[in-house]
Amino acid sequence: MKLKIALLPGDGIGPEIVGEAVKVLDSIAAKYGHQFEYSKALVGACAIDATGDPYPAETHAVCEASDVVLFGAIGDPKYDNNPAAKVRPEQGLLRMRKSLGLFANLRPLAVFDSLAGRSPLKTEIVKGADCVRELTGGMYFGRPQGRSEDGNTAYDTCVYTREEIERILHLAFGLARGRRKKLTLVDKANVIATSRLWRQIGGELAPQYPDVELEYMFVDNAAMQIIQRPTHFDVIVTENLFGDILTDEASVISGSLGMLPSASVGAKVALFEPIHGSYPQAAGKNIANPMATILSAAMLLEHVGLQQEGKAVRDAVNQAIEAGVVTEDLAAAGAKACSTTEVGDFVAGHIA
């Protein structure tokens, strides 16, 4: 297979972890006879520094000309700690999602057996689930948004349309059909009007999926249940802000943020990225965990139909964990932590 892959390493540890994922993809290409063509582009703080724009037109063109996008992370303290900054790296991420039509963020919360003991939860209740977060609507994109002239009042608007809700719910129902056939719609319908629309449309679509059990849960209850009874959930679907918070909460079940990949899909090209941030404190030190980005590459392969290749990547990651070839966030007490490049070398070498 010939595949055009846009590489958006971004900021902080982004270039390091994306580099290891590329190393693994190259190993897959060599073993299975594929041809992967990479095009690198700027996004985030590095793009602001170079062009003044966190998502330049040139980057958008590279993404649109590619089959898939592999993305690292964005964020830089010089913008995070400057409340007066008029342009921020995160604006590039939001605009990229909107421009590419990436309306659904899929976060499989898989737990590797060898890491179950690293979870803050009891081993016997740790189990994976799939979270589906709406990406292009809600408070992050609602207008009006801003502050009063005296600066003492700020306001945001949460807006959702029927079309936005229906398309994400159809995707979530379909995902649930391939799992345990249970879908939990998380909202705050007792208070928020947009949540009541989500709940209404969920009920209207449910008869189209008679084999899927649909339940509703308020977001505050869901936040508790994810920790107390994670095995209760199969597929969770929710709006943008709630999904942002809940998926980060659920990510600790795996034992490390550095283990969780994600996919953003929609009308155009699909994008794959680790769920963690740019971790600027570790940038350039060769200590960041590349596993989430490598597993994002596995999701990328599976998205384009290369199931065997995706499984090969997952198997290699599992072998690395079992062999103790892990970075400091996963290393057992007293054990030697490996570098970012050592982990990537092991995974790529195991595939080869």
Side-chain angles (χ1 to χ4, degrees):
M1 173 183 284
K2 291 185 178 180
L3 197 64
K4 293 183 178 179
I5 304 175
L7 298 179
L8 275 58
D11 307 319
I13 61 171
E16 297 169 64
I17 55 178
V18 168
E20 298 311 306
V22 169
K23 188 185 297 180
V24 170
L25 286 171
D26 285 343
S27 185
I28 287 288
K31 180 171 183 177
Y32 292 92
H34 301 305
Q35 183 179 338
F36 298 155
E37 177 185 320
Y38 305 106
S39 299
K40 189 177 291 187
L42 298 174
V43 68
C46 62
I48 298 175
D49 293 343
T51 70
D53 187 343
Y55 183 59
E58 294 83 356
T59 298
H60 182 66
V62 167
C63 292
E64 285 204 311
S66 302
D67 299 307
V68 286
V69 179
L70 184 61
F71 170 59
I74 60 169
D76 190 290
K78 66 184 176 185
Y79 296 101
D80 298 339
N81 302 328
N82 181 10
K86 294 183 178 180
V87 181
R88 295 182 178 277
E90 292 75 17
Q91 293 171 330
L93 180 58
L94 295 178
R95 184 143 48 88
M96 177 170 64
R97 290 169 177 168
K98 197 79 169 180
S99 301
L100 294 176
L102 303 173
F103 66 84
N105 182 224
L106 310 179
R107 291 190 175 184
L109 303 174
V111 180
F112 287 86
D113 290 341
S114 51
L115 288 180
R118 299 297 300 260
S119 173
L121 305 183
K122 294 179 180 178
T123 303
E124 60 267 23
I125 69 170
V126 173
K127 190 174 181 180
D130 275 1
C131 293
V132 184
R133 167 192 169 196
E134 202 286 325
L135 273 185
T136 59
M139 195 175 295
Y140 291 174
F141 293 93
R143 295 292 181 269
Q145 180 186 68
R147 298 177 70 172
S148 61
E149 290 186 9
D150 63 9
N152 294 326
T153 303
Y155 49 89
D156 297 280
T157 307
C158 184
V159 178
Y160 269 108
T161 65
R162 172 175 287 272
E163 179 186 6
E164 290 172 325
I165 298 170
E166 284 186 348
R167 67 185 181 184
I168 193 80
L169 286 178
H170 278 303
L171 189 151
F173 271 114
L175 189 60
R177 268 186 167 166
R179 289 176 55 93
R180 292 189 285 121
K181 297 180 170 55
K182 181 177 181 179
L183 178 63
T184 304
L185 197 165
V186 172
D187 59 33
K188 193 63 177 172
N190 56 336
V191 177
I192 300 175
T194 49
S195 283
R196 290 193 283 274
L197 181 60
W198 273 77
R199 188 168 290 212
Q200 173 192 330
I201 294 174
E204 292 171 1
L205 297 185
Q208 299 180 33
Y209 303 89
D211 54 329
V212 177
E213 175 192 353
L214 173 64
E215 70 168 358
Y216 306 100
M217 187 176 293
F218 292 146
V219 62
D220 40 0
N221 184 29
M224 292 186 290
Q225 297 299 328
I226 285 173
I227 298 301
Q228 294 177 331
R229 296 190 302 148
T231 54
H232 171 82
F233 298 100
D234 182 25
V235 176
I236 299 169
V237 62
T238 190
E239 60 99 59
N240 205 341
L241 175 60
F242 296 160
D244 194 1
I245 297 168
L246 288 179
T247 52
D248 278 357
E249 180 201 12
S251 69
V252 303
I253 293 173
S254 73
S256 172
L257 270 174
M259 290 300 300
L260 293 179
S262 75
S264 296
V265 301
K268 301 178 183 178
V269 61
L271 179 146
F272 302 85
E273 62 176 305
I275 75 162
H276 57 69
S278 60
Y279 193 13
Q281 302 91 332
K285 296 180 179 179
N286 201 23
I287 61 173
N289 186 348
M291 293 297 204
T293 314
I294 291 171
L295 290 169
S296 295
M299 292 183 73
L300 181 158
L301 293 168
E302 290 161 352
H303 176 77
V304 298
L306 302 180
Q307 303 298 326
Q308 183 180 1
E309 290 85 340
K311 183 178 184 302
V313 174
R314 297 181 193 281
D315 289 345
V317 167
N318 192 57
Q319 286 295 318
I321 295 169
E322 291 187 349
V325 183
V326 294
T327 45
E328 60 184 11
D329 55 316
L330 293 177
K336 174 185 175 293
C338 295
S339 68
T340 307
T341 51
E342 285 173 333
V343 172
D345 287 343
F346 182 96
V347 175
H350 187 272
I351 291 169

